[in-house]
Amino acid sequence: QVQLVESGGGLVQPGGSLRLSCTASRTAFSIATMAWYRQAPGKQRELVAVIFDNASTTYANSVKGRFTISRDNAKNTVYLQMNSLRPEDTAVYYCQLARGLVYWGQGTQVTVSS
């Protein structure tokens, strides 16, 4: 069983930055595909960013140029650096690990508001 623990969410003003972290337990993290999703109230969960085992990345159009996904295989951790945050980025952010099966974290709230 893989456990994912997210951290780094919070309240930030528009234009501000946050960095989310997600640490995985007992798995071959380096060969897993890692992703961040988000779900705003009343909306479906949507893909934000993906990083593959070869470190290639892909982003949703809405966050391109503002968000950066990265990974540290030595720490079994994936990060999401979020800059120039907007109110529409407000959501619960979920970490996902895919390696055959798919695992989810518990989510961390990000609120962008003045």
Side-chain angles (χ1 to χ4, degrees), residues 32-47:
T33 296
M34 302 297 300
W36 287 97
Y37 285 74
R38 67 186 181 187
Q39 187 167 17
K43 295 187 177 181
Q44 289 188 329
R45 191 172 295 190
E46 63 175 358
L47 178 65

Side-chain angles (χ1 to χ4, degrees), residues 25-64:
S25 66
R26 38 174 281 161
T27 184
F29 181 85
S30 64
I31 62 172
T33 296
M34 302 297 300
W36 287 97
Y37 285 74
R38 67 186 181 187
Q39 187 167 17
K43 295 187 177 181
Q44 289 188 329
R45 191 172 295 190
E46 63 175 358
L47 178 65
V48 176
V50 183
I51 185 165
F52 299 94
D53 58 349
N54 63 0
S56 63
T57 59
T58 188
Y59 296 91
N61 287 335
S62 58
V63 306
K64 279 182 182 176

Side-chain angles (χ1 to χ4, degrees), residues 36-40 43-49 60 62-63 66-67 80 82 85-86 88-95 104:
W36 287 97
Y37 285 74
R38 67 186 181 187
Q39 187 167 17
K43 295 187 177 181
Q44 289 188 329
R45 191 172 295 190
E46 63 175 358
L47 178 65
V48 176
S62 58
V63 306
R66 300 188 298 123
F67 291 10
L80 185 68
M82 304 185 295
L85 283 161
R86 305 167 180 169
E88 55 263 39
D89 295 318
T90 295
V92 178
Y93 283 70
Y94 297 91
C95 172
W104 292 93

Side-chain angles (χ1 to χ4, degrees), residues 74-103:
K75 296 181 178 179
N76 281 9
T77 299
V78 63
Y79 304 97
L80 185 68
Q81 178 67 43
M82 304 185 295
N83 299 327
S84 302
L85 283 161
R86 305 167 180 169
E88 55 263 39
D89 295 318
T90 295
V92 178
Y93 283 70
Y94 297 91
C95 172
Q96 182 200 72
L97 182 151
R99 185 176 59 86
L101 298 178
V102 173
Y103 302 90

